[in-house]
Amino acid sequence: MGLFGRKNHMPVEGRTVLITGASEGMGRSAAMQLAAKGAHVILVSRNVGRLEEALAAVKAAAASPATQRFTYISADVSEPNYAAAVLAEAIAWNGGRSPDIVWCVAGMSTPLLWTDDAAMSAARRNMDVNYFGSAEMARAILREWLSPENSTGPKSEPKHLVFTASVLALFAIVGYGPYTPSKWALRGLADTLAMEVNLYPDNPVKVHVVYPATITSPGLERENQTKPAITLELEKDEPPETPETVARRAIAGLERGEYFVAVSFLGNLMRCGVMGGSQRNSWVFDTLLGWFVPVIYFFVLRIMNGQVRGWAKLHGHPGKSAKTT
Ligand SMILES: NC(=O)C1=CN([C@@H]2O[C@H](COP(=O)(O)OP(=O)(O)OC[C@H]3O[C@@H](n4cnc5c(N)ncnc54)[C@H](OP(=O)(O)O)[C@@H]3O)[C@@H](O)[C@H]2O)C=CC1
Ligand SMILES: CCCCCCCCCCCCCCCC(=O)[C@@H](N)CO
């Protein structure tokens, strides 16, 4: 039980969490915050230097440094079949037990106009990292968690599989063509798996998707190098948040037991606007809020499309390979 008697749906104390994309940005902050709540943490990303540095920060944030354990594994999530080897290493380190929580944070973004020369190769790269990087990890960990020899019984504490999408998977804007579909794809996989895990009542698993808006991370600096100016202009409507804030709100949503975790007010509006056949956090709240969203979109879409047309009028044809500055 947490504050005011509310149940914590994702206790982490003494449990092992594996986080991909844990060396920078939101993944690093999430790793530190989960360590501060008593979790053992396995950090996964490519660059060993940054992993070493992040590992030190995570250790320093631990609730009980004498008993908690931390390690890192260097791997490229865009490599086909990377996940089984990463998990084997994680399980060996964890005394033969699989991690209890797996959070796929590793991601990248290459914003470009769709007519840009580089858009297609960027789209494939974004799909490889953001979608397949998470899909492969999901498959590897579910094969562990859901196997008959790993049955823990219907009343046992559930395992958690967390994907990281973006509010762009709820509301798409110009300039993110190479990126947005990879995050929509994650949502499709998550809905599928959230139903599929019901086949295994003796192996409880909860699936979640986190939908951040702009995070002031090293990744944001990288993506801003190719971001069309009109995209920068439109996304100003949702203010950026620090990796610490986004991680804290994401973890709070997971602790509340939410399936789709939005981390801002607008994010929650966008979430309730697209629920379709997805599981609800709260049928009453999500439905009531969802009724208002079309009214808001009536105005938002008129304004935004007007902004885009206004841009074209002011700056002319964007050109073939164009950062539209
Ligand atoms: N920044 C933003 O505005 C938003 C980001 N998001 C999403 O949130 C998540 C976190 O974003 P952010 O905080 O910006 O992250 P960053 O881009 O700052 O950090 C990305 C992390 O992922 C790792 N990573 C990147 N590519 C790979 C790869 N191929 N294999 C393994 N690890 C990889 C990086 O380490 P290394 O390079 O060493 O591998 C690093 O640890 C991502 O999924 C992102 O798409 C969602 C909404 C907004
Ligand atoms: C009903 C509610 C209406 C809402 C109005 C919409 C405002 C537009 C917000 C767009 C924000 C885009 C953030 C991109 C984050 C991201 O994923 C990239 N930085 C890639 O990393």
Side-chain angles (χ1 to χ4, degrees), residues 109 166-168 171 173 176 179 212-214 220 223 227 234-235 237-238 266 269-270 293 296-297 300 304:
S109 178
S166 156
V167 290
L168 292 170
F171 177 68
I173 65 171
Y176 280 113
Y179 167 83
T214 306
L220 182 66
E223 71 178 61
K227 190 173 284 172
L234 294 184
E235 71 185 15
D237 293 337
E238 174 71 302
L266 282 185
L269 280 178
M270 294 183 216
V293 178
I296 301 168
Y297 276 142
V300 164
M304 276 206 176

Side-chain angles (χ1 to χ4, degrees), residues 21 23-24 26 46-47 75-77 105 165 183 213 215 217 219 222:
S23 63
E24 285 185 336
M26 187 191 82
R46 291 166 302 179
N47 186 294
D76 183 341
V77 302
V105 182
K183 298 296 194 177
I215 310 168
S217 64
R222 278 190 292 273

